[in-house]
Amino acid sequence: MSANAPPTVLIVDDDATLRGMLAQFLGDHGLRVVEASDGARMFERLATTAVSVVLLDVMLPGDDGFALCRRLRAAGHPAASNIPIILLTSVNSDTDRVVGLELGADDYIAKPFNPRELLARIRALLRRSDSGRGEDARSGAEFRFMGWVLNPRHRSLRSPNGALTDLTSGEFDLLLAFLEHPQRILSRDQLIDLARGRALTPYDRSIDVQISRLRRKIEPDPQRPRLIKTVRNEGYFFAADVDAAGAGAAR
């Protein structure tokens, strides 16, 4: 995709009428839209199109949205292991929401929804991705902690043994927020703001779910975390020393 090309949204939903309405609305607001009616067509689109955000319906024929989200987030998936995913569902269930986030979705919206709210969430994810390629990329910083190396320019994380670790967009931005503010207690609201996420309510569990996923990827023992510690009734605390090479010092 050229630098001036509009972001591309892939709508995966078996309701052709809804796909058409969303494609018209998003297109009118400056986004390019491609469509798929099921998982097989979704992967065909991803193989041939540079997609910026996936809108993925949970209730699909064949593999449902949860199964497809899991496949997309599988380590090293060639199509879209780190493309932002927004789940669409007709069930406004907190349990389903948490399941989706656990599988690696970046956001979740219940049908029927206001198209303007969906547009705002898409734009928030796009801004978050652009920020990672913008200010952080220009700084040239690499953040090092406990043998790990996070590179904002390439949006990559390498383990102490040098292997690349797959992170979702939300997980990456959350970890970056911790590394920019190490050894400080950060509330959930502060983390939401620092990670450039959408505006969430104080009771939203998204941050807790993302932290749980992040711990499973970087902690030696996620049940006894040494890096991301919980401070009861206050928030979270990144305990390791952080070396921000190329940026002077962690902020």
Side-chain angles (χ1 to χ4, degrees), residues 13 15 48 62 65 87 94 104 109 112 120 142 147 197 206 214 226 232 240:
D13 197 303
D15 185 336
T48 59
L87 290 178
D94 188 57
I109 189 167
E142 279 191 343
S206 300
L214 192 54
R226 298 168 52 195
R232 189 172 181 179

Side-chain angles (χ1 to χ4, degrees), residues 36-236:
S37 58
D38 56 25
R41 289 171 177 78
M42 175 187 75
F43 284 108
E44 290 174 1
R45 288 293 196 183
L46 289 170
T48 59
T49 306
V51 171
S52 307
V53 176
V54 176
L55 304 183
L56 179 57
D57 186 35
V58 169
M59 301 298 291
L60 287 171
D63 288 342
D64 65 15
F66 291 141
L68 293 173
C69 185
R70 183 186 297 109
R71 288 175 60 189
L72 284 173
R73 292 302 189 224
H77 193 288
S81 62
N82 62 357
I83 291 177
I85 298 172
I86 300 176
L87 290 178
L88 310 177
T89 179
S90 57
V91 180
N92 192 6
S93 162
D94 188 57
T95 300
D96 280 356
R97 178 189 182 116
V98 171
V99 168
L101 294 170
E102 285 279 8
L103 293 172
D106 295 271
D107 203 351
Y108 189 106
I109 189 167
K111 300 176 181 178
F113 50 79
N114 186 322
R116 292 188 177 278
E117 180 183 358
L118 177 63
L119 177 64
R121 296 190 184 194
I122 291 170
R123 285 176 169 167
L125 288 174
L126 292 172
R127 282 195 300 271
R128 201 161 68 187
S129 297
D130 288 343
S131 295
R133 289 187 292 267
E135 177 186 348
D136 297 320
R138 289 192 298 272
S139 74
E142 279 191 343
F143 294 86
R144 301 172 183 271
F145 62 99
M146 298 284 288
W148 294 82
V149 180
L150 182 138
N151 187 314
R153 183 191 301 274
H154 301 295
R155 292 185 70 82
S156 66
L157 176 67
R158 288 194 177 273
S159 69
N161 65 12
L164 282 172
T165 300
D166 287 315
L167 297 178
T168 68
S169 176
E171 291 162 2
F172 183 94
D173 291 323
L174 183 59
L175 179 57
L176 180 58
F178 276 124
L179 298 183
E180 289 178 329
H181 303 82
Q183 300 177 0
R184 288 173 50 185
I185 297 174
L186 299 173
S187 69
R188 288 170 177 79
D189 287 344
Q190 286 176 309
L191 285 168
I192 290 167
D193 181 59
L194 291 169
R196 308 178 183 95
R198 64 179 177 83
L200 305 175
T201 72
Y203 305 104
D204 197 289
R205 296 181 61 188
S206 300
I207 285 291
D208 300 315
V209 173
Q210 297 277 24
I211 285 174
S212 177
R213 287 178 54 86
L214 192 54
R215 280 172 169 163
R216 292 200 294 269
K217 294 181 178 181
I218 67 173
E219 294 277 6
D221 182 356
Q223 300 304 314
R224 297 176 178 81
R226 298 168 52 195
L227 297 174
I228 304 173
K229 295 183 176 292
T230 302
V231 181
R232 189 172 181 179
N233 298 325
E234 294 191 57
Y236 294 96

